[in-house]
Amino acid sequence: MDMKNRAFKICKYILSLLLIGLSYGIFVRKTGFAIPCIFYRITGLQCPGCGVTRMCLALMRLDFVAAYHYNKLLFIISPVIVFIIAQQIYRYIRFNDAKTTKAQTVILILLIVLLVIWGILRNIF
């Protein structure tokens, strides 16, 4: 597959994900129904991802303060995640290589550790 076809394929996936996300956001805003957090339903504790839907809805309204409030850590680390994804997309399109680098792997492991710590601390304080 050449570079142009890989770029088209990635654009198709990104547009599909954006359309699904936008549709879900509109559905939640209009109906008030959202996918519940199973972890919260079972334990009564917030998982590291609790508040993501509300954060995304706030971002759709460009309300950055509310987005930060709903899930502080994910709001802060989102640019890092987007940057790593963008790097991966570039490497895939340009070089047909989607392997993560050692630096990216270390960063992703650190982010996972932060999310686990966040999941614990957000239920204590």
Side-chain angles (χ1 to χ4, degrees):
M1 184 183 310
D2 68 345
M3 191 166 56
K4 189 175 183 180
N5 286 337
R6 288 191 300 270
F8 179 74
K9 180 180 172 183
I10 290 294
C11 286
K12 194 169 58 171
Y13 286 134
I14 290 172
L15 287 174
S16 296
L17 287 173
L18 287 174
L19 183 61
I20 290 168
L22 184 61
S23 298
Y24 178 66
I26 291 169
F27 175 80
V28 171
R29 287 187 67 194
K30 296 291 183 188
T31 65
F33 296 113
I35 298 170
C37 176
I38 302 300
F39 183 80
Y40 182 78
R41 289 273 172 120
I42 292 171
T43 66
L45 302 172
Q46 292 184 337
C47 75
C50 279
V52 169
T53 299
R54 290 172 288 155
M55 180 181 80
C56 290
L57 290 172
L59 289 173
M60 285 174 63
R61 296 188 314 270
L62 301 177
D63 186 351
F64 298 106
V65 173
Y68 172 78
H69 172 73
Y70 290 128
N71 195 315
K72 294 170 180 62
L73 181 64
L74 280 176
F75 181 84
I76 291 169
I77 67 173
S78 290
V80 175
I81 295 168
V82 168
F83 181 73
I84 290 174
I85 291 169
Q87 282 182 321
Q88 289 301 102
I89 290 170
Y90 174 78
R91 288 183 59 201
Y92 172 70
I93 291 172
R94 184 86 165 121
F95 306 111
N96 196 22
D97 178 20
K99 296 177 185 170
T100 57
T101 64
K102 288 182 182 180
Q104 289 172 332
T105 302
V106 168
I107 291 169
L108 290 172
I109 289 169
L110 288 173
L111 292 178
I112 290 168
V113 169
L114 277 174
L115 285 168
V116 170
I117 292 169
W118 165 246
I120 294 167
L121 293 178
R122 76 186 305 192
N123 290 295
I124 294 173
F125 299 106

